[in-house]
């Protein structure tokens, strides 16, 4: 069975399914690109994040960062080991773009 994306929930009684890792922020696997439509793309957002105008742009920036930027490559290599074969959970709706899809792709190549 192919690993898949899971949408996290705050509903009472909801638990992370077995063989699932949360990749939400804050955390090791969280996307450092944050959706801030009013900020210039690439502007710092606090001390941890970088502004992007849309979710699609934030996900694309995350993919580029992991695959092209030397700063992101160690995380991509770590993901291949730590996340391979696991379902990944984030708060993003399942019918839209999410950085968890990028991590699934990298971890399960």
């Amino acid at each position: 069975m192919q690993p898949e994306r899971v949408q996290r929930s705050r509903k009472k009684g909801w638990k992370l399914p077995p063989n699932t890792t949360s990749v939400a922020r804050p955390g090791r696997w969280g996307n450092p690109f944050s959706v801030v439509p009013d900020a210039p793309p690439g502007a710092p957002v606090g001390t941890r994040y970088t502004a992007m105008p849309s979710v699609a742009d934030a996900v694309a920036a995350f993919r580029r960062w992991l695959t092209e930027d030397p700063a992101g490559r160690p995380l991509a290599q770590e993901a291949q080991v730590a996340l391979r074969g696991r379902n990944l959970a984030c708060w993003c709706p399942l019918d839209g773009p999410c950085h968890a899809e990028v991590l699934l792709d990298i971890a399960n190549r």
Side-chain angles (χ1 to χ4, degrees):
M1 186 183 225
Q2 185 73 358
E4 59 187 28
R5 220 171 101 202
V6 174
Q7 185 176 17
R8 293 188 58 119
S9 173
R10 289 186 174 90
K11 289 181 184 174
K12 185 176 181 174
W14 189 89
K15 293 183 181 180
L16 211 56
N19 195 41
T20 302
T21 298
S22 176
V23 294
R25 290 189 293 221
R28 178 83 182 119
W29 309 109
N31 189 347
F33 299 95
S34 188
V35 178
V36 186
D38 297 333
V45 179
T47 58
R48 291 182 171 181
Y49 305 113
T50 302
M52 289 291 136
S54 70
V55 174
D57 291 320
V59 172
F62 183 69
R63 182 177 294 277
R64 283 190 307 274
W65 180 69
L66 285 178
T67 60
E68 299 171 13
D69 186 336
R73 283 196 192 124
L75 188 65
Q77 292 169 346
E78 190 178 331
Q80 288 178 325
V81 174
L83 302 178
R84 181 178 307 275
R86 300 192 57 81
N87 298 321
L88 302 182
C90 188
W91 297 105
C92 297
L94 294 176
D95 61 352
C98 178
H99 79 291
E101 291 286 344
V102 175
L103 290 168
L104 280 169
D105 179 51
I106 287 171
N108 295 292
R109 282 187 182 151

